[in-house]
Amino acid sequence: PVFLNDEVYSIYTAAARLVGPEKQKEIVELSGEVMFSELEKRLKLDTLDPIGLIRELISYLERVGYFAKGKVEQISENELVIHMHDAACHDGVVKLKNEGAYPPHFCTVLIFAGLKKMFDIQVELTHLDLGPNEPPYHSIEKWVLKKSEGA
């Protein structure tokens, strides 16, 4: 994970320096869209509902070692709490966030892109807790799912 942390930090720091934090956020979000397009070709995602899609992508990220464990808690019909344990790029993400850049949590931007593409759902990240600075890492995000405007 040391190399991945360095790579994530370096790429997204360079983006923030070259184009500024707002455009760097767009780059992070676009990387999620590109990744979802690639995974959509490999994984059978077309028959899932929104929560099923989230769970399948989290399961995939566990299998490939992006994090040790992910968990979805459905609080209400449109509110979720996402738990990510020991994300491989945790240190790089925290460092970027602390420096004012948009944190490139690939789990988050990947799932947001999938929900938008497959179900026309926008997600509002209402809470981000990157957890402890030392392992074991445990990040928590709270999401509100909303149908896109005009949908």
Side-chain angles (χ1 to χ4, degrees):
V2 172
F3 178 79
L4 181 60
N5 274 295
D6 291 343
E7 182 178 38
V8 165
Y9 176 76
S10 299
I11 290 169
Y12 290 105
T13 295
R17 289 179 187 172
L18 286 172
V19 299
E22 283 303 312
K23 288 288 184 188
Q24 182 259 352
K25 178 182 178 189
E26 290 178 34
I27 292 168
V28 171
E29 291 170 346
L30 181 58
S31 69
E33 293 171 20
V34 171
M35 186 180 289
F36 183 77
S37 291
E38 290 298 308
L39 291 178
E40 189 177 27
K41 296 172 189 173
R42 283 185 255 151
L43 304 176
K44 294 179 181 161
L45 303 173
D46 57 338
T47 61
L48 300 173
D49 63 11
I51 302 301
L53 175 67
I54 294 167
R55 287 192 170 116
E56 180 56 35
L57 290 172
I58 285 175
S59 176
Y60 168 79
L61 292 167
E62 288 173 343
R63 290 191 308 271
V64 298
Y66 177 75
F67 45 58
K69 181 170 175 46
K71 180 181 173 189
V72 180
E73 285 182 59
Q74 191 164 2
I75 305 302
S76 69
E77 182 180 347
N78 297 320
E79 292 179 276
L80 307 173
V81 175
I82 309 299
H83 297 267
M84 294 168 266
H85 297 271
D86 294 319
C89 62
H90 180 85
D91 292 337
V93 168
V94 169
K95 192 171 179 183
L96 281 159
K97 184 176 184 295
N98 289 342
E99 292 175 1
Y102 187 75
H105 250 194
F106 293 113
C107 172
T108 305
V109 295
L110 169 66
I111 293 172
F112 285 13
L115 289 169
K116 182 178 179 182
K117 184 174 183 180
M118 291 182 66
F119 304 103
D120 200 26
I121 291 175
Q122 299 285 334
V123 183
E124 179 185 356
L125 178 63
T126 62
H127 177 78
L128 172 62
D129 177 359
L130 294 173
N133 292 330
E134 299 293 326
Y137 301 123
H138 178 197
S139 298
I140 301 170
E141 296 181 353
K142 291 182 183 175
W143 300 353
V144 176
L145 282 58
K146 302 175 183 177
K147 278 303 240 182
S148 294
E149 299 272 327

